[in-house]
Amino acid sequence: MIDFYTASTVNGYKVAIALEELGLPYMVHDLNLGELEQKRPDYLKINPNGRIPAIVDRESGTAIFESGACLVYLAEKTGKLTGATAEARGRVNSWVFLQTSGVGPMQGQANVFLHYFGEDLPRVAARYVNETKRLYSIVNDRLGVSEWLADDYSIADIAMFPWMIISDYADVSLSDYPNIKAWTERMHARPAVQRGLGVPPKREIADRAAAVQAILQR
Ligand SMILES: N[C@@H](CCC(=O)N[C@@H](CS)C(=O)NCC(=O)O)C(=O)O
């Protein structure tokens, strides 16, 4: 049994989709980010970074935080959704890391400076939007020569997908990236992906900007 600490946001969906694809039994702990439940001392023992997602594998008591580390752990534990050799796993993890160290942070900061920062800084926003677009071009080129990011469908696709389906919010239109758009359709067609996008059910946030401000001020 896996304890899964998450919220209805993109980084959480990665792990939800992987758990659904792998058919592993898991229990959802739906944290209210606006209420800063992710900063509480009991949760910081699981994820010292105070963010979601994190998992605890009850078999060993091991806690794993960072979405990329959770994906790699689940893939290694099951031997699925990754490569069969060190070389193939390296190819998978290259795209996982490009997402977690590139696309996620750049697109995330684009969202902050376009929508939440509270001060109009167009050149800063443009820097993050343009960097996001540069990274999307790399992914788009790869998906022009391959059905999936690595050799086969893998945690690399699962890591990239939830961010790319909210690209409009960062002023990045998938109509400029036709290979990504076609790949999102292949992803959406997978039943486990559909199930994962519903875990946990969307939380209604009355004042999203205020909730994000509370997080930004921590
Ligand atoms: N690098 C981290 C990023 C995690 C992250 O930013 N999670 C967001 C939700 S998508 C979060 O917990 N935000 C609340 C906060 O920053 O306090 C990962 O990939 O797991």
Side-chain angles (χ1 to χ4, degrees):
M1 174 67 74
I2 305 279
D3 283 298
F4 175 30
Y5 297 83
T6 190
S8 52
T9 67
V10 282
N11 287 309
Y13 294 145
K14 298 173 190 173
V15 177
I17 292 170
L19 287 164
E20 286 292 333
E21 289 282 7
L22 294 167
L24 289 171
Y26 66 94
M27 179 178 286
V28 174
H29 303 267
D30 179 6
L31 303 192
N32 186 334
L33 302 184
E35 296 289 328
L36 299 178
E37 287 181 355
Q38 72 279 22
K39 313 295 183 195
R40 291 190 180 159
D42 53 342
Y43 181 67
L44 293 178
K45 286 186 197 142
I46 295 166
N47 183 352
N49 195 33
R51 293 187 169 195
I52 67 89
I55 55 178
V56 176
D57 190 338
R58 284 193 200 173
E59 238 175 65
S60 61
T62 303
I64 313 282
F65 61 94
E66 282 291 313
S67 60
C70 295
L71 291 177
V72 170
Y73 176 77
L74 294 172
E76 283 189 1
K77 182 180 168 74
T78 56
K80 293 181 182 156
L81 297 176
T82 190
T85 61
E87 291 74 16
R89 286 193 290 280
R91 288 192 288 275
V92 168
N93 292 341
S94 297
W95 293 103
V96 172
F97 280 50
L98 187 74
Q99 197 292 317
T100 58
S101 65
V103 174
M106 294 303 120
Q107 193 173 330
Q109 293 304 315
N111 289 341
V112 167
F113 285 99
L114 287 171
H115 303 290
Y116 302 121
F117 194 62
E119 194 185 333
D120 204 17
L121 296 173
R123 291 185 64 216
V124 178
R127 157 72 187 156
Y128 288 117
V129 171
N130 290 337
E131 185 61 3
T132 304
K133 288 182 176 171
R134 189 186 68 78
L135 290 160
Y136 271 54
S137 294
I138 293 164
V139 174
N140 191 62
D141 287 351
R142 170 63 186 159
L143 291 170
V145 294
S146 176
E147 191 179 7
W148 305 110
L149 286 172
D151 307 353
D152 296 302
Y153 176 66
S154 73
I155 54 171
D157 302 286
I158 294 172
M160 207 64 87
F161 170 73
W163 281 86
M164 296 207 149
I165 58 174
I166 61 155
S167 67
D168 283 351
Y169 202 54
D171 279 358
V172 179
S173 171
L174 286 193
S175 56
D176 294 331
Y177 305 95
N179 303 326
I180 296 180
K181 193 161 180 5
W183 162 85
T184 62
E185 283 156 18
R186 291 195 288 283
M187 293 291 292
H188 275 300
R190 298 183 70 88
V193 169
Q194 285 302 323
R195 291 196 301 275
L197 289 176
V199 178
K202 284 227 174 336
R203 186 184 287 279
E204 285 312 321
I205 301 174
D207 188 345
R208 180 169 290 274
V212 174
Q213 278 306 323
I215 292 169
L216 289 179
Q217 279 160 23
R218 282 295 294 239

